[in-house]
Structures are given as C-alpha cells and as structure tokens.
Amino acid sequence: MQSTSAARASRPAGSRPALIFTLVSLGLFATGIGPRPSGDAWAATYDLVLYNAVYVGAALVCLLACRRSRADRVAWAALAAAIVLGLAGNLVYTLAVATLPEEPFPSAADFFYLAYYVPLYVALVALIRTRVTRFHASMWLDGVVGALGAGAVSVAVLLGPALELTEGDIAAVITSMAYPIADVVLLALLVAVGAILGVRRDRTLLLLAAAIAANLLGDIVFLDLATQGIYVEGGPLDLTWLTAMALIAIAAATSREAPRTGETTRVGWRVLAVPLACNMASLVVLGLDAGSRFNPAAAWLAVGCVLAALARVAITFREVRAFNEVREQALTDELTGLPNRRALFAQTTAVLEGASAQRPAAFLLLDLDGFKEVNDSLGHHAGDHLLRQVGPRLRPALRTGDVLARLGGDEFAVLLPEAGLDEAEALAERLRQLLLQPFTVEGIRLHVGVSIGVASAPVPAATVEELLRCADVAMYAAKAGRSGVHVYVPDPRGGTSDRLRTMEELRTALEREDQLVVHLQPQVDLDDGRVVGAEALVRWQHPVRGLLSPADLLPAAEQAGLLRPLADAVLELALDAAARWWPQREVPVSVNLSAANVTDLDLPGKVAQALLRHGLPAAALTLELVEDTLMSDPERGRQVLGELRRLGVRTSIDDYGTGYSSLAYLRHLPADELKLDRSLTHDVGTDVRAAAIVRHTVALVHELGISLVAEGVEDDATGLVLRDLGCDVAQGYAIARPMPVEDFLQWLQRPVRPLGVGSR
C-alpha cells in the first residue's frame, strides 16, 4: 500500500484528468455515443474535434510525465513533440488541404506527418539511455541484429511494394517512399530497443511498443488502401492511430522509474530471445528470396542481420570465457594460485552437508611462525616468494580430494573430506615437518615454523563458522604451547557453542570499544600512605551477562588469540583515565602486557603515540609483565623492554615468585619494579619462612635498584609486617578494592593516612 500511495503522491494532479479526457474522447469517436449535431458539416466538425482531442489529451499527459520523471524527461518531451506534430498535420490536412478542389501531393500536411517520426526516434533512443548504465559491444550487436532483422522482414513482407513506387513527380515519389522508409526505421529501432534491453517486465516500454505497433499497423493498411484508391477518412482505420495515442497516454500516466542495467555478460534467453528471433526471420527471408521475389533491400538487410549475428556469437564466446576467468579469479588467491577464502568456504559448506559420524570431515588451520621476521628483515617481496613455495611443498602430501587454500597473510587451511581426527592429526604432523624444512629465498636458506590447529565436523563443529573457530582456537593453543599441532577437544566443563559465542562477542566488543572498561586499584606508599600508583584492571560490560571480571574475560581472549588487541584497548582506556587526574595528581597507571605484546617490536612506538594522543608524559605509565611471558623469546623481550625504558616508561615484573627462574631473570631484565605475588605475602605475618623469603627478596631488589610492591595486602596487620620487612608499596583490599574511574577520582581526594591509622 505504501508504494501505491507513493506513486499516487508523485503523480501530478492533472495527469489523471488528462488521461480520462483522452480515453473518453477516443471512446466517443469510436462508438459514436453521445449527442451528435445534425448536418454533415457539423457532424464532420464534431468528429474532427473528438479525433484531435485524443491527440491533445495524450500530449498533455506526456508533458505532465515530463515534469514528474526526471530520468525519462527527454523521452516524454520528445513524445509530446511528436504528438503535437501529428496534431498539426491533422489540422492542416483537414482544414486546409482537404478543402481544396484538388488535393496536392505532397502537401504541407505531409511535412508535419513526416516530421512526426523524428521525435519518436529520439524518444526510443532516450528510453534506452535511461535504462542502460553502460553500453557494451554485445549490446550494440544485439541492437544491430534486431534492427536489420526487423528491417528485412518489414521490407520483404509489409512495405516492399511501396518502396518500388518510382513513377510520377520527383517530389511525390520521394514523399511516397519517405513514409514506408520512416516506418521501417521506426520498426527497426523499436526491435533494436527490445534486443538491447532483452525480455523484461517494463510496463512503460510494453505500452509504448504496443502504441508504435498500432501506429505502424495503421500506416501499413493506409498505404495499401491509398495505393488502391479506396481509403476513406474517418473510417475504422483511424482508430489504429487513436489507439496508439491512447496507449502513449496510459504509458505516460502510469510511468515509474525503470531499473537500470549494466551487466557485463549478456547471456541467457531473456537477452538472446529477440536477436535470435530476428536472425531466424532473416534466414527465412533469404531462403524464400531464392527467386528474387522480394525487394533487394530486404535481402541485403537479411544478409547484414546474419553477419551481425555471427559477430554476436563471437562476442558471446568471448564474454562467457571472460566470465569464467573472472569467476576463477574470484575464487583464486592471486599470489599463490591456491583457492582463496571464498572458494574454501564454498567447498567446506558442500563437504559439511554430507558429513556424518560415519563420514566425518576435518579442517587444518596453519599459521606460519617467524614469517613476520622474514618480511621485516628481507622485505615483502621475499615474504611473497616464500608464500608461493608453500603450496607446491604441501600439495604432494595431500589426497586427491583434499583442498589446500590460502586464507590471507601467512595463514593457510586444508579441508579433508571423509577424514577422522587421527588421520587429520597425522597429516598435520607430516605437513609441519615439510614446512620445517628450509626455504630458499633469494639465495638465502630460511627456516620458519608453523602452528596447526585441527578441528573436525560434524562434531563438535556443524557449520563452516564453527569449524573455523574451533581450528582457530586449536591453532592458538598450538602456538601458545609451542607444540606445533593441537587438536581441538571440547571442554567438558562448558558447552562449545557458549565458549565460541563468548569469543565472537569479545571480538565484537573490541571492535565497538564501548563494552570494555577499566577499574583502578590504588597502590600506596607503606611509609606515609601516599597514593603512588593505580593498576588498571579490565572489565567487560557484557550486554546480557553483566559486568565480567578478568577471570571470565582473559581465557576467552587467550583462546581466540585476542590478548594483544585486548591489551591495546586496555592501554587506551587506562591512559584516558590517567589524563583525567594528571598533572594535578601525578599518579602513574599500570597496565598488564601479554606475551604477544612483550615480543612486539612495534610496542614502543605504539606506546609513544598513545602517550602523545592523551597528552601524558612517559612517567604517567607503568607496564607490567609476568616473567614467564619472556620465555618464548627472551632476547626480543629484553630489546622491547629496553626501548620502553629509554622512552621513560617504567616496567614492572608482575606475580614475582610464581615462576621457575626468577633470580636469573632479575639479573638480565630491565625492570624498575617488582611485584610480590599474593602467595608470598598473604601469611607473611604468621609464617616465619615466608617472612624470611620476603626479607631477603627486599634486600636483593633494593641492591639492584628496584622498588618492591606487595600484592594481596588484605588487612592492616599484613601491611604493617610488610612495611617492617622493607617493602615499599602495598596493593590490596586493605587499601581499596578495584573501582570504576569516577569512584577512583573521588577516592583520590580523601586525606592521606598511613596504613593502619584510622579507617579506610
């Protein structure tokens, strides 16, 4: 109903009355219903008015359509001009030429009648231009085939005799031939429009085609009757031209914006129907013209149609080949020549439709380790050369039906139809061994590693998305555990779908950046109670599950490989919070780093840019890391931390005392701060051995110029013991619980009290 109302609202107010006026005039003229004046002269005048009233109404409707339709404005203006020229011809003939004792031929009326065709040609061309965004060679050939075929048939069957009139005055001969030639061109142009646009449900074009067909029918019958000298003005034949005017008026009154086409490949029966019919008709004309029974122009037009059709066939073959090439390119990775992500997903979908417990499928996700170093050290061209060698190296190890594809970057995937987990894991190990062999790039032998995640279908993954997520989780587990290959096994403590949904929701939260928040936990000086720092702890404001703690958030981030972007987001949030109290209160904020962050050579630059964006000095930030995060690449970790310290950013070793090589790391790590884990501090007041460990750790770190923060201080008594043992800073529930940024800003305004003095 809305579309109908909109169409009515967009139609000018005069369009409907003008259309009704046109149709009523046609009906009165055709049936003779209504009061007719007595007398032959008055009756003739009455018929003259009704006849031309149809033209007036149709021209008015076209002018109103010209105002309404911006796209088809030229077409409706041209049609209105054509109708006005036809009306002028009618009036000149009836009022001037027909009243003469002997009608001249040609006359002034013939000028208007012949000029009537020119705006019709313009209208048809304009209708094509508004419906085709871009012309292609095949479109032009379709139009040529349609025009030549229609011309051949019309000349041979309908207008051939009229074209052979060569006797009489030269002006009369030219005028006599101009009418059928104009009709042939009009018919050819109409069929060309149909050939270019194809078979389509365009009401405006269909009505205009019917109007032109009625007009041509009237012209053909008129030529035949005029040749025999038996045409009578005002007879039933006049209804054909009036019907044409009425159809044009209906088309103009009901016209709407037509859909535009610009397809690059014109294949299909809707497109080829009209050109094929015209070509067949031309062949029939040539076959029947063996005895030269038709006008020679018909034969030449038919020959031209056939030749154009042959060219169209050649274009069709070329377009089909180009279409297949484009389709293949859309499914192929340009660099490696392997199937791309789109092709892999399509084939995986097909495999999953037939997968069952008896015929399982498997999926391997491969991520090259150390590929970034190749790009960084030798350039991207070397990395591309290495990637191109992966396919030829792995393909011989695969079965005939297995699919090896490149997902992007340094990620590849293998789809294994009808393969169980054991078979998939064994193949993953073989592929890993193949990739561990050296690659030769620009004369240099290079070694890269690979982490492979293995997942199966239909259990636990029944869809392409779930299969990819399971393999992704397994791949990151293989990377984190440095095992090379990891098989995805559902966690018996929770549903697979819930965990996968959580990981996907976390990806969305990181993209939107409006669900993650930080809570701040203060750190105070144990001697005087001054606030000397605040640790930023991430929270997830889940839209359904509420506020989630790091215990719910971090495992999902680790499984999904999102620890690095999560740390980046927390850094932004923490600096945004610190900018609200700095420099009025010079309290630095601490942010935890993951292993992926610590070994990221771009981290110092990212931190410097983040500090600059928030207008903060380097002293406003402390970066915390767990000592075990450096185990994967100690040299790179020390390089990154050293550059951070040169920027002026403080570094802190978190959870000290939980690792296995703490003393060795203290010797080499560029750290400013050490945070004693709660396992060493919570019972320091009652456990003599714990107190001895803390006392000697304090002496050691102070000797190295490192300050010491005691975590997990839950009561004043523990805080006082730690102060007496030499700890510098305390953090824990005895000082304050983690709190939102707004609450922390208010907490900062409280009076400074040493630990154990007054209430918190």
Side-chain angles (χ1 to χ4, degrees):
M1 292 297 294
Q2 287 181 335
S3 60
T4 303
S5 300
R8 290 175 178 172
S10 63
R11 187 179 300 163
S15 179
R16 183 183 295 273
L19 177 61
I20 295 174
F21 173 78
T22 304
L23 297 178
V24 169
S25 300
L26 173 62
L28 291 175
F29 180 86
T31 62
I33 298 175
R36 301 175 65 86
S38 59
D40 293 340
W42 286 106
T45 303
Y46 179 77
D47 288 340
L48 173 64
V49 171
L50 285 180
Y51 185 88
N52 290 291
V54 178
Y55 279 75
V56 172
L60 182 59
V61 176
C62 288
L63 289 174
L64 293 172
C66 179
R67 291 177 53 194
R68 180 180 73 251
S69 176
R70 179 176 301 177
D72 290 332
R73 179 174 298 170
V74 174
W76 295 124
L79 286 171
I83 296 172
V84 170
L85 288 172
L87 174 62
N90 293 339
L91 295 176
V92 170
Y93 177 80
T94 303
L95 299 178
V97 178
T99 60
L100 297 174
E102 183 177 352
E103 296 183 9
F105 185 78
S107 66
D110 293 305
F111 169 79
F112 291 102
Y113 287 141
L114 290 174
Y116 162 83
Y117 288 95
V118 177
L120 282 181
Y121 302 154
V122 174
L124 289 175
V125 173
L127 289 172
I128 297 177
R129 293 297 302 173
T130 58
R131 283 159 174 76
V132 179
T133 57
R134 205 176 98 192
F135 282 92
H136 307 284
S138 58
M139 286 185 175
W140 290 114
L141 284 174
D142 285 340
V144 171
V145 170
L148 293 176
V153 173
S154 60
V155 170
V157 180
L158 303 176
L159 305 176
L163 293 175
E164 296 176 0
L165 295 176
T166 59
E167 297 181 359
D169 180 71
I170 185 64
V173 171
I174 293 176
T175 304
S176 298
M177 295 183 64
Y179 280 106
I181 291 175
D183 283 328
V184 169
V185 173
L186 182 60
L187 177 62
L189 190 56
L190 176 63
V191 177
V193 171
I196 291 174
L197 297 179
V199 179
R200 55 196 295 176
R201 295 179 180 178
D202 190 327
R203 182 171 58 185
T204 301
L205 284 180
L206 292 176
L207 288 171
L208 291 177
I212 293 174
N215 188 88
L216 290 172
L217 176 62
D219 288 348
I220 294 169
V221 176
F222 170 77
L223 285 173
D224 184 59
L225 296 178
T227 302
Q228 302 178 42
I230 58 175
Y231 169 71
V232 179
E233 184 180 0
L237 180 61
D238 291 349
L239 291 176
T240 57
W241 295 303
L242 295 183
T243 300
M245 296 300 107
L247 290 172
I248 291 175
I250 296 173
T254 60
S255 65
R256 296 174 184 170
E257 295 294 334
R260 295 168 67 86
T261 180
E263 65 270 13
T264 57
T265 304
R266 291 170 55 80
V267 179
W269 74 268
R270 290 182 179 274
V271 174
L272 300 178
V274 176
L276 182 61
C278 292
N279 188 49
M280 295 299 296
S282 297
L283 292 175
V284 171
V285 170
L286 290 174
L288 295 177
D289 197 38
S292 300
R293 57 191 295 184
F294 299 135
N295 186 291
W300 284 112
L301 289 173
V303 170
C305 178
V306 173
L307 293 177
L310 292 176
R312 176 66 172 93
V313 171
I315 291 292
T316 300
F317 281 122
R318 190 183 70 180
E319 287 184 342
V320 171
R321 184 173 65 251
F323 174 77
N324 290 331
E325 290 176 355
V326 170
R327 183 181 179 185
E328 183 177 354
Q329 291 173 3
L331 299 175
T332 304
D333 177 64
E334 183 178 2
L335 177 65
T336 62
L338 298 173
N340 60 12
R341 178 184 290 265
R342 183 184 294 107
L344 177 67
F345 280 18
Q347 296 187 59
T348 304
T349 301
V351 169
L352 291 182
E353 289 177 354
S356 62
Q358 292 73 30
R359 299 175 58 190
F363 189 89
L364 311 182
L365 182 61
L366 297 78
D367 185 83
L368 300 182
D369 299 328
F371 178 75
K372 185 176 183 297
E373 287 73 11
V374 176
N375 274 340
D376 293 342
S377 58
L378 299 179
H380 289 282
H381 61 284
D384 292 345
H385 188 189
L386 189 152
L387 292 175
R388 282 192 287 267
Q389 298 182 49
V390 172
R393 179 170 294 191
L394 298 185
R395 196 175 287 113
L398 303 178
R399 303 172 302 177
T400 303
D402 297 341
V403 180
L404 172 63
R406 181 186 177 215
L407 296 181
D410 59 352
E411 281 192 342
F412 294 81
V414 179
L415 174 64
L416 304 174
E418 300 186 18
L421 273 180
D422 293 340
E423 183 180 356
E425 185 177 11
L427 175 62
E429 288 290 352
R430 292 198 299 273
L431 298 182
R432 178 172 177 265
Q433 293 302 320
L434 289 173
L435 291 176
L436 290 178
Q437 298 176 15
F439 291 87
T440 301
V441 177
E442 298 180 350
I444 303 174
R445 287 168 57 88
L446 300 175
H447 289 81
V448 295
V450 63
S451 299
I452 305 177
V454 183
S456 63
V459 178
T463 66
V464 177
E465 291 77 13
E466 290 180 354
L467 189 62
L468 182 61
R469 289 172 187 164
C470 291
D472 192 55
V473 170
M475 185 271 291
Y476 275 103
K479 191 178 291 288
R482 303 180 68 83
S483 58
V485 176
H486 186 87
V487 177
Y488 181 85
V489 178
D491 188 351
R493 296 172 297 176
T496 301
S497 60
D498 291 341
R499 184 172 60 259
L500 294 177
R501 187 180 302 109
T502 299
M503 288 188 287
E504 190 60 31
E505 290 171 346
L506 180 56
R507 293 181 192 272
T508 303
L510 286 170
E511 292 173 357
R512 296 182 57 182
E513 299 181 355
D514 61 350
Q515 296 181 11
L516 297 179
V517 297
V518 291
H519 284 196
L520 301 169
Q521 187 172 31
Q523 300 169 343
V524 300
D525 190 291
L526 280 172
D527 288 330
D528 55 21
R530 289 181 301 105
V531 181
V532 295
E535 182 176 2
L537 303 170
V538 66
R539 300 289 189 268
W540 182 7
Q541 189 63 57
H542 195 280
V544 177
R545 299 163 61 185
L547 190 66
L548 301 183
S549 68
D552 300 311
L553 170 61
L554 295 180
E558 183 175 5
Q559 284 190 311
L562 298 174
L563 285 178
R564 179 183 291 183
L566 178 62
D568 293 341
V570 174
L571 176 63
E572 288 293 328
L573 292 170
L575 293 179
D576 185 65
R580 300 180 63 180
W581 67 71
W582 196 285
Q584 290 79 11
R585 297 293 299 271
E586 295 186 357
V587 176
V589 64
S590 300
V591 176
N592 289 278
L593 297 179
S594 67
N597 292 107
V598 174
T599 56
D600 182 8
L601 294 176
D602 296 329
L603 179 63
K606 293 178 181 178
V607 170
Q609 292 176 5
L611 289 169
L612 184 62
R613 280 195 303 272
H614 293 86
L616 293 172
L621 177 64
T622 299
L623 294 177
E624 299 183 4
L625 66 148
V626 179
E627 53 184 321
D628 290 343
T629 60
L630 291 172
M631 291 292 291
S632 59
D633 195 339
E635 291 299 326
R636 175 176 288 195
R638 281 195 289 269
Q639 178 183 348
V640 171
L641 293 181
E643 292 182 9
L644 287 171
R645 292 192 72 192
R646 281 190 288 274
L647 286 175
V649 176
R650 300 178 75 249
T651 56
S652 174
I653 301 176
D654 197 12
D655 297 337
Y656 182 81
T658 59
Y660 296 100
S661 53
S662 301
L663 293 177
Y665 271 91
L666 280 179
R667 178 182 176 184
H668 299 288
L669 278 180
D672 301 284
E673 180 182 276
L674 195 71
K675 299 185 74 173
L676 279 178
D677 186 69
R678 181 181 179 279
S679 61
L680 292 177
T681 62
H682 76 286
D683 58 353
V684 70
T686 58
D687 188 335
V688 177
R689 297 171 64 88
I693 292 174
V694 171
R695 182 184 302 108
H696 287 86
T697 301
V698 168
L700 175 63
V701 298
H702 283 173
E703 189 71 23
L704 296 174
I706 301 174
S707 63
L708 193 141
V709 178
E711 292 185 298
V713 180
E714 298 184 357
D715 53 67
D716 289 352
T718 301
L720 293 174
V721 172
L722 290 169
R723 183 193 63 187
D724 295 340
L725 290 173
C727 292
D728 303 300
V729 178
Q731 177 182 343
Y733 290 173
I735 294 92
R737 294 176 178 270
M739 64 190 80
V741 176
E742 295 294 338
D743 295 346
F744 180 76
L745 291 173
Q746 295 180 6
W747 190 89
L748 277 178
Q749 306 303 319
R750 82 193 221 301
V752 176
R753 298 188 183 92
L755 196 65
V757 178
S759 59
R760 297 192 302 273

